[in-house]
Amino acid sequence: MSMKRSASAVWQGNLKGGKGSVSTASGTLASTPYSFAMRFENSPGTNPEELMAAAEAGCFAMALSADLGEAGFTPDKIDAKATVTLDTVNGKPTLTNMHVVVSAKVPKIDAKKFQEIATATKGGCPISRALNMPITLEAKLES
């Protein structure tokens, strides 16, 4: 099975004073603005790193559901949050770490088994496998 997903970006102007927009083929993002300040100065708005974190969180939650299902468990809820770290390495902005925090309510599973499955999922979702950075995980089983 081969699937392709696409997105586009338009940038106008120089790096610090310019502005851009990102769009996805699905229309979920449609000319969504981004800028230097949104990316590097914490101004409100989206940026490529935030979108990368959203992709990891969504991918991880679905992959954990699949892995739990393969082990015979059906989650009531999985809540995943991913945070990507942007540092300067050798003078260049570089993504250095993705940290995933997941909490899940899963009937009939014990904490040890949940940790085992969540840890195995960490490196298994397609977005995780595409990232060239360490991924750390905190997994919590809700009662």
Side-chain angles (χ1 to χ4, degrees):
M1 167 178 75
S2 177
M3 299 180 74
K4 295 184 180 188
R5 303 287 188 226
S6 64
S8 61
V10 174
W11 188 264
Q12 298 171 312
N14 65 21
L15 176 62
K16 289 194 176 180
K19 60 183 178 178
S21 64
V22 293
S23 300
T24 56
S26 69
T28 299
L29 297 178
S31 298
T32 303
Y34 75 110
S35 67
F36 183 90
M38 290 174 185
R39 191 169 188 191
F40 299 110
E41 297 174 353
N42 291 322
S43 288
T46 197
N47 56 68
E49 291 75 24
E50 177 182 71
L51 298 174
M52 175 91 52
E56 176 66 13
C59 185
F60 185 87
M62 288 182 75
L64 181 55
S65 175
D67 290 349
L68 286 164
E70 286 179 18
F73 302 99
T74 302
D76 287 342
K77 179 183 176 186
I78 297 172
D79 184 359
K81 177 183 179 185
T83 303
V84 67
T85 301
L86 176 66
D87 287 318
T88 301
V89 176
N90 298 326
K92 302 226 180 249
T94 304
L95 300 180
T96 57
N97 177 270
M98 181 73 73
H99 183 66
V100 177
V101 176
V102 64
S103 63
K105 186 170 186 179
V106 186
K108 301 178 184 171
I109 195 171
D110 63 45
K112 182 179 178 187
K113 185 67 173 175
F114 175 72
Q115 287 294 326
E116 175 186 308
I117 294 170
T119 299
T121 300
K122 180 179 79 163
C125 93
I127 300 297
S128 297
R129 290 194 315 269
L131 298 176
N132 187 26
M133 72 180 89
I135 300 171
T136 55
L137 174 68
E138 287 179 53
K140 303 170 194 163
L141 182 61
E142 296 176 11
S143 53

